[in-house]
Amino acid sequence: MIRWGILGLGNMAHKFAEAIKEVENAKLISISSLSKKKTEIFSKKFNIDERFKFNRYEDLINCNEVDAVYIATLNNTHANLIINSAEAGKGTLCEKPMSITNEESNLVFDKLKKSNTFFLEAIAYRSHPQTAELINLISSKIIGKIEKIESSFGFSVKNFLKFIPKHRLFNKKLGGGSIMDIGCYPVSFGLLVAKILKGEDSPLKYQLTDSKGKMNFRGTDDEAYTKIKFENLFDLEAKVSIKNKFENSSSIFGTKGMLKIPSPWLPNKKSLIEVFSQDRDYKKEIISKYSIYANMIKIASDSIEKKKIECYPPNMTWNDSQENTKILTEWKGYI
């Protein structure tokens, strides 16, 4: 049984606490927040023992009864907390983005390699059976040679910004903006497909072109677009927004057809992939035992029990997280 603690008690922490109930070999025992009020409300809701309620992150990280931590704090704090958790010998699941600069990313992985502790960036769709089935379809070459991918993630925060004008999404210092908050989804999707075709250990060559976006007066990007040309493979067209709702789908175009994933980022227990090929068109249904976040918690807990330091694809590998950060940083630099 892996005993988990949560750092930061925002929206994702609540989703984690609900999802972990599905996982047989994982249990939430500890929480930490800089807000005493949040700690009290959360502990009552999820029945956290008084001994394991903390208002300093380091106290939870150094708690001997905690095996692993889930980092759900603000984006700009992730890298330091991963390093602190690794130094304490704790397995770590960290919300995306795991860092907001390449320098931070390099420091994190230098520490992880030295400490030999488990780490997974929490890009949950990568751990869902739908993604494994997508790999099978691509590998079968049912749509021939892949030529282009279109992938989007957009939502609107206009309504609640009237009440929270200083929200983290619009704060440059906190790692806000559409690219850093949700750009990891289409970019990691492109990386996944590229590595299926190229091979996990083969170096990838890519170039960002046509990058553009819309900045707001706070200095963060509301919306952004880029084309990534993966050399000798395909082009990825990625667009993200925190001001406008998009279709939020991914389509893979090949010489013999197309694959469309209607819900790539948050698939339910029952999801589907639409297949359009020269032979026939059909919908491939995927059934998952666990919900989206529970899949990720299960895989992380299994890996920690087996003393692994990272997960296998299609989960986010350490190399995936480093490449993802590198591309997001470059994309942001063009806006």
Side-chain angles (χ1 to χ4, degrees), residues 22-302:
E22 300 177 43
V23 183
E24 304 86 350
N25 61 336
K27 183 179 181 180
L28 174 61
I29 70 161
S30 182
I31 57 172
S32 179
S33 172
L34 303 182
S35 166
K36 290 184 178 180
K37 182 179 179 181
K38 283 186 178 181
T39 304
E40 289 306 314
I41 293 172
F42 200 99
S43 64
K44 288 178 182 177
K45 182 177 180 180
F46 294 103
N47 195 30
I48 304 298
D49 190 285
E50 191 69 30
R51 295 176 300 147
F52 301 125
K53 293 159 46 179
F54 302 106
N55 292 120
R56 298 196 314 163
Y57 297 143
E58 56 265 37
D59 290 340
L60 187 153
I61 290 171
N62 292 313
C63 177
N64 291 331
E65 284 84 356
V66 173
D67 303 310
V69 297
Y70 170 59
I71 299 173
T73 54
L74 296 171
N75 291 349
N76 64 316
T77 67
H78 290 176
N80 282 338
L81 289 174
I82 297 168
I83 290 170
N84 293 342
S85 298
E87 289 175 339
K90 299 290 192 281
T92 307
L93 178 64
C94 180
E95 264 308 312
K96 50 74 190 169
M98 51 79 60
S99 65
I100 58 175
T101 67
N102 287 321
E103 292 75 18
E104 283 186 348
S105 176
N106 292 336
L107 286 172
V108 165
F109 286 105
D110 283 346
K111 175 57 67 175
L112 286 169
K113 289 169 186 175
K114 291 174 183 176
S115 62
N116 205 38
T117 52
F118 174 82
F119 169 75
L120 175 65
E121 185 175 13
I123 300 182
Y125 83 90
R126 285 287 206 106
S127 301
H128 193 279
Q130 175 177 270
T131 305
E133 183 56 39
L134 177 65
I135 290 176
N136 292 336
L137 288 168
I138 291 171
S139 300
S140 74
K141 301 191 182 300
I142 193 169
I143 62 166
K145 183 181 183 298
I146 294 173
E147 298 179 319
K148 183 177 74 168
I149 297 176
E150 294 178 353
S151 189
S152 67
F153 195 165
F155 60 91
S156 174
V157 295
K158 292 176 184 175
N159 292 331
F160 72 76
L161 273 176
K162 294 177 182 177
F163 307 100
I164 317 176
K166 296 182 180 179
H167 192 272
R168 65 170 183 85
L169 285 174
F170 294 86
N171 190 315
K172 191 174 183 179
K173 292 182 180 179
L174 301 182
S178 62
I179 293 173
M180 293 312 300
D181 194 67
I182 51 178
C184 60
Y185 289 100
V187 170
S188 66
F189 190 86
L191 283 171
L192 173 69
V193 178
K195 290 186 177 184
I196 294 168
L197 302 177
K198 187 87 171 179
E200 181 66 27
D201 298 322
S202 300
L204 282 176
K205 292 184 180 180
Y206 50 81
Q207 180 183 6
L208 275 68
T209 65
D210 303 328
S211 298
K212 53 191 174 185
K214 296 178 182 178
M215 300 290 286
N216 58 56
F217 70 91
R218 297 180 182 90
T220 55
D221 53 287
D222 291 337
E223 199 162 291
Y225 168 90
T226 193
K227 179 185 286 187
I228 304 175
K229 301 182 74 67
F230 288 97
E231 188 175 300
N232 301 320
L233 294 174
F234 57 83
D235 292 346
L236 168 69
E237 294 184 10
K239 63 177 183 177
V240 292
S241 178
I242 53 176
K243 276 296 188 73
N244 294 293
K245 182 171 174 55
F246 292 158
E247 185 179 6
N248 295 345
S249 64
S250 290
S251 296
I252 305 174
F253 300 87
T255 54
K256 297 180 180 179
M258 180 184 81
L259 299 174
K260 182 171 183 178
I261 306 91
S263 182
W265 317 131
L266 292 171
N268 294 318
K269 287 186 177 181
K270 182 183 290 186
S271 63
L272 59 87
I273 298 172
E274 298 177 19
V275 182
F276 305 91
S277 69
Q278 291 179 343
D279 297 329
R280 64 188 179 106
D281 300 343
Y282 66 97
K283 294 179 180 180
K284 175 66 179 179
E285 187 177 77
I286 300 98
I287 304 296
S288 174
K289 178 181 177 181
Y290 302 102
S291 62
I292 178 72
Y293 300 115
N295 270 302
M296 181 176 62
I297 297 167
K298 172 64 175 170
I299 287 168
S301 298
D302 287 349

Side-chain angles (χ1 to χ4, degrees), residues 312-328:
Y312 298 116
N315 302 284
M316 290 293 288
T317 65
W318 289 8
N319 183 257
D320 285 338
S321 291
Q322 285 185 291
E323 291 281 8
N324 220 38
T325 301
K326 183 178 177 183
I327 292 174
L328 293 176

